């Protein structure tokens, strides 16, 4: 992946569980547990492999029947928040 | 349906050959509350939620919210326990002490399709006997102190099951060198537990567990002689591993003969089939149903499960026969006759929970009826 596009992936030291339609994430060295709703589960599934934000947004827009641009904007905010907690990481 | 029948149906949810009669309508709220409480006690909220989401157990919207919230809260606790276990395992690894994660986290990740179906409350770690004393020291230096005084220095390393090490903040590690105390624990060939490990990943850290046969055997010890009456989670583990896992039956039979554990495995499998209402036999369950334990194993089993015989003293007496050398027998007897000040024998792991006892007894009655029918 040397196309210069920034990709996202799950954090390296994250413990997680899916409980019903909710996702729980805990960075190993952090005391807090982050709980996300059904969209969070879908995002987490996308992050198994390094994925570009635009690709992810496109697939999720089809899945949830929402405009891709709106999904991309929301996803960008969610990923930034998760990144701040070391729950996801950026891949070059 | 009764709470007991529903609890057993939840415990068997998702297993092949289970024939559970689920209700067609949402349960009355009082019954629902009782089932949910039981699921919390048995750490089965994941199976209950899965049964609801699969449509097996219809619920009202409020009941769905109840179980979803209960499972969320329980899963949060599991994540905290699992997260806290990582530095403990790492501190042992950094000290050159190999370990194997037992039960909870290992079984959840390796034997269940989704680890959130299998909850647990603490960390169980196996270490080699020769590393045992040093492990206690290393954990102590990390703030996890042994909760009980051992009978004599070196007693646990030579004859015991292990010890609970506890931190001031309440974190606990159940440290094991074998599966159980007493004769069945002493007859386990511990070197068999230290072959190539099964690996699983938690929070980016690769952890080591027993292989599939080791995990299955440990579940059998837990189910058959861990608690009286047995708790449902180890029975579910036995069924999960045998029906959906990768247990090599030839190796399993070889190990249980070497460990003289046929009576333990037969009892665990019989209890599992009876309690969870498993309909179709597999080769090991056919064997278990007709297995007659040897006189020695029957006597040893009694000190774990017979209410009239199970006690620390009875287990200790039975242990003497399982200790091979006269020198070790003498050391064992001396330690218990002249223990260090402060030594208190551990209490029997007795969970005389009436609901679980009733569920198990009902299953055993059904099994006996089935056996009688089969023998006619």
């Amino acid at each position: 992946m040397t196309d210069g596009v920034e990709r996202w992936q799950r954090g390296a030291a994250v413990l997680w569980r899916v409980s019903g339609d909710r996702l729980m994430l805990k960075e190993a060295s952090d005391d807090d547990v982050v709980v996300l709703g059904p969209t969070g589960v879908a995002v987490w599934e996308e992050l198994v492999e390094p994925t570009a934000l635009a690709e992810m947004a496109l697939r999720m827009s089809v899945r949830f029947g929402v405009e891709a641009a709106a999904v991309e904007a929301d996803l960008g905010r969610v990923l930034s928040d998760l990144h701040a907690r070391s729950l996801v990481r950026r891949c070059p | 349906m009764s709470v007991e029948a529903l609890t057993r149906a939840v415990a068997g949810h998702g297993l092949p050959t289970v024939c559970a009669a689920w209700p067609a309508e949402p349960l009355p709220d009082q019954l629902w509350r009782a089932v949910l409480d039981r699921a919390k006690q048995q750490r089965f909220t994941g199976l209950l939620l899965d049964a609801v989401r699969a449509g097996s157990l219809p619920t009202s919207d409020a009941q769905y919210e109840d179980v979803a919230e209960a499972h969320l809260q329980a899963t949060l606790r599991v994540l905290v326990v699992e997260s806290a276990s990582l530095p403990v395992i790492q501190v042992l690894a950094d000290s050159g002490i190999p370990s194997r994660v037992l039960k909870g986290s290992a079984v959840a990740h390796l034997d269940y399709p989704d680890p959130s179906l299998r909850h647990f409350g603490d960390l169980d770690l196996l270490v080699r006997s020769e590393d045992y004393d040093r492990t206690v020291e290393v954990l102590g230096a990390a703030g996890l102190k042994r909760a009980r005084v051992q009978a004599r220095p070196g007693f646990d390393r030579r004859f015991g099951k292990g010890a609970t090490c506890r931190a001031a903040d309440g974190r606990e590690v159940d440290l094991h060198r074998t599966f159980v105390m007493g004769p069945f624990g002493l007859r386990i060939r511990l070197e068999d537990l230290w072959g190539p490990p099964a690996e699983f990943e938690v929070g980016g850290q690769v952890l080591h567990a027993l292989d599939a046969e080791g995990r299955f055997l440990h579940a059998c010890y837990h189910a058959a002689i861990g608690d009286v009456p047995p708790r449902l989670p180890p029975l579910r583990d036995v069924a999960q591993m045998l029906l959906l896992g990768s247990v090599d039956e030839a190796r399993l039979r070889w190990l249980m003969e070497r460990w003289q554990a046929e009576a333990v495995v037969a009892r665990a499998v019989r209890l599992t089939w009876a309690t969870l209402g498993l309909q179709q036999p597999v080769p090991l369950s056919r064997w278990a149903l007709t297995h007659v334990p040897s006189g020695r194993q029957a006597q040893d089993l009694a000190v774990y499960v017979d209410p009239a015989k199970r006690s620390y003293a009875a287990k200790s007496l039975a242990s003497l026969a399982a200790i091979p050398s006269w020198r070790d027998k003498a050391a064992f007897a001396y330690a218990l006759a002249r223990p260090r000040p402060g030594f208190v024998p551990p209490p029997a792991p007795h969970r005389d929970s009436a609901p679980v006892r009733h569920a198990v007894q009902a299953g055993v009655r059904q099994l006996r009826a089935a056996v009688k029918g089969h023998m006619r």
Side-chain angles (χ1 to χ4, degrees), chain A residues 67-84:
Chain A
E67 196 186 333
V71 173
E72 189 167 333
D74 285 348
L75 260 180
R77 282 192 289 273
V78 170
L79 290 172
S80 293
D81 186 31
L82 295 178
H83 184 256

Side-chain angles (χ1 to χ4, degrees), chain A residues 5-52:
Chain A
V5 176
E6 185 180 72
R7 289 176 166 80
W8 294 87
Q9 194 175 9
R10 295 175 179 179
V14 179
L15 295 88
W16 61 276
R17 292 284 195 285
V18 174
S19 171
D21 56 7
R22 288 180 282 190
L23 172 71
M24 278 166 273
L25 301 172
K26 183 179 183 307
E27 208 280 330
S29 60
D30 193 346
D31 289 340
D32 293 337
V33 178
V34 172
V35 182
L36 300 174
T39 314
V41 179
V43 172
W44 198 244
E45 288 166 3
E46 290 280 347
L47 293 169
V48 174
E49 300 291 337
T51 307

